[in-house]
Amino acid sequence: MIDLPNLRPQVEDIARAAGHFLRTQQASFSQERVSLKSLNALVSDVDKNAEELLVSALGNLLPEAGFLTEEGTVSQNTNANYYWVIDPLDGTTNFVHGLPIFSVSIALMYQNEPILGVVYEVGMDECFSAIQGGGTTLNGSPAHTSATAELKDSLLATGFPYYDFSGVAGFQKTLEYFYPRTRGIRRIGTAAVDLSYTACGRFEGYFEYGLSPWDVAAGILLVREAGGQVCDYQGGNAPIDSKSIIATNKGVFGDVLRVIQHNIGNG
Ligand code: IPD
Ligand code: CA
């Protein structure tokens, strides 16, 4: 078995190095560098270069591990016992529009479960990390989900549908339910950070559908290890490829799950 406590700071350093690259690139970024992968799925040379940097560093760290990466700059292999799941730039739309919230997300999977997760949020220089059974930290200090038990005291986060509009009606009904019954709902534009902020108690909960494995793999572990609960819209264990996610503190989990299943169904 891999020595996770030893691996963790090394992966944090690699995430920080990629984040530093993103920060310097944003300062001189221009729209001509953007292209479209599909509807509203933006990409640029920056995403790809950051991914190459991560693949090279993580490959040196653990040569036996495979890769599942957003930009596909390396051959994809999730059959290995261990594989890395990488989003080199989560929040690409924020990045290309000059907004300051975006992140690097790295998970190490063992038998298809995240056992190490690191999310580095570049704008605030915050590094969230977790190892299975070893808790979650924010810049090295322990992080925990909030103790809030009531929706009326909760700040929630979500992501608006931007390419799969099949669930929009139920999504709108869910928002309408939450508007008057919570302190508000945020859409900050990076799922990895939504999960990190839930893990450290800034958000009581986060829900979204239409996600990819690299958006959530690290963040799922961050929330679980911080004392929170994670499932998909079906109420299942939220495998990283389940596309929908509900991640909350323990106190509001039941309420959020009930509202989403009532309005969106099993998504
Ligand atoms: C996106 C962000 C966004 C979420 C989308 C993701 P990207 O990732 O995480 O918050 O709403 O579903 O695809 O494209 O910026 O890597
Ligand atoms: Ca992403």
Side-chain angles (χ1 to χ4, degrees):
M1 184 69 180
I2 278 171
D3 181 356
L4 291 174
N6 178 44
L7 201 61
R8 179 186 199 155
Q10 300 183 71
V11 179
E12 289 179 354
D13 286 350
I14 290 169
R16 283 181 177 279
H20 176 70
F21 170 75
L22 296 177
R23 187 183 294 116
T24 56
Q25 291 294 308
Q26 196 189 31
S28 59
F29 194 76
S30 62
Q31 294 294 324
E32 301 81 70
R33 292 164 71 178
V34 179
S35 54
L36 268 189
K37 291 187 282 192
S38 54
L39 178 65
N40 291 329
L42 311 182
V43 68
S44 78
D45 56 309
V46 176
D47 303 60
K48 291 177 185 155
N49 291 338
E51 184 172 295
E52 283 168 356
L53 198 151
L54 289 163
V55 164
S56 158
L58 295 168
N60 287 336
L61 206 56
L62 209 61
E64 69 267 39
F67 285 99
L68 175 64
T69 68
E70 173 158 24
E71 308 308 340
T73 63
V74 63
S75 79
Q76 310 284 291
N77 174 14
T78 56
N79 292 323
N81 251 343
Y82 292 98
Y83 60 93
W84 297 103
V85 182
I86 300 175
D87 193 334
L89 170 45
D90 190 46
T92 301
T93 305
N94 283 355
F95 179 92
V96 307
H97 283 266
L99 302 183
I101 304 181
F102 48 89
S103 62
V104 177
S105 177
I106 303 169
L108 179 64
M109 307 291 291
Y110 177 65
Q111 297 180 343
N112 295 320
E113 282 291 327
I115 56 169
L116 183 155
V118 173
V119 173
Y120 178 60
E121 197 286 299
V122 179
M124 298 251 286
D125 184 28
E126 289 187 323
C127 191
F128 300 84
S129 82
I131 54 176
Q132 196 174 52
T136 300
T137 56
L138 162 51
N139 287 347
S141 299
H144 304 285
T145 53
S146 80
T148 307
E150 308 247 8
L151 280 181
K152 70 177 177 45
D153 304 318
S154 296
L155 185 61
L156 301 181
T158 191
F160 301 143
Y162 64 96
Y163 73 96
D164 173 2
F165 303 106
S166 60
V168 164
F171 180 75
Q172 303 284 34
K173 279 199 236 153
T174 303
L175 295 184
E176 279 170 29
Y177 181 92
F178 284 138
Y179 290 144
R181 294 177 178 85
T182 63
R183 288 189 178 173
I185 303 171
R186 297 288 178 269
R187 195 295 189 247
I188 62 172
T190 142
V193 174
D194 289 317
L195 288 162
S196 301
Y197 283 9
T198 302
C200 74
R202 292 175 187 161
F203 295 144
E204 272 61 44
Y206 158 69
F207 59 96
E208 183 167 352
Y209 76 89
L211 293 160
S212 298
W214 40 81
D215 299 320
V216 297
I220 286 173
L221 187 67
L222 293 177
V223 173
R224 287 194 175 131
E225 287 294 328
Q229 275 183 256
V230 183
C231 70
D232 52 30
Y233 282 12
Q234 290 76 39
N237 193 34
I240 62 169
D241 58 357
S242 73
K243 291 198 160 63
S244 64
I245 195 164
I246 300 169
T248 71
N249 73 3
K250 287 232 159 66
V252 300
F253 179 76
D255 283 342
V256 174
L257 177 63
R258 179 180 49 77
V259 173
I260 287 174
Q261 291 201 328
H262 178 74
N263 290 297
I264 308 186
N266 292 331

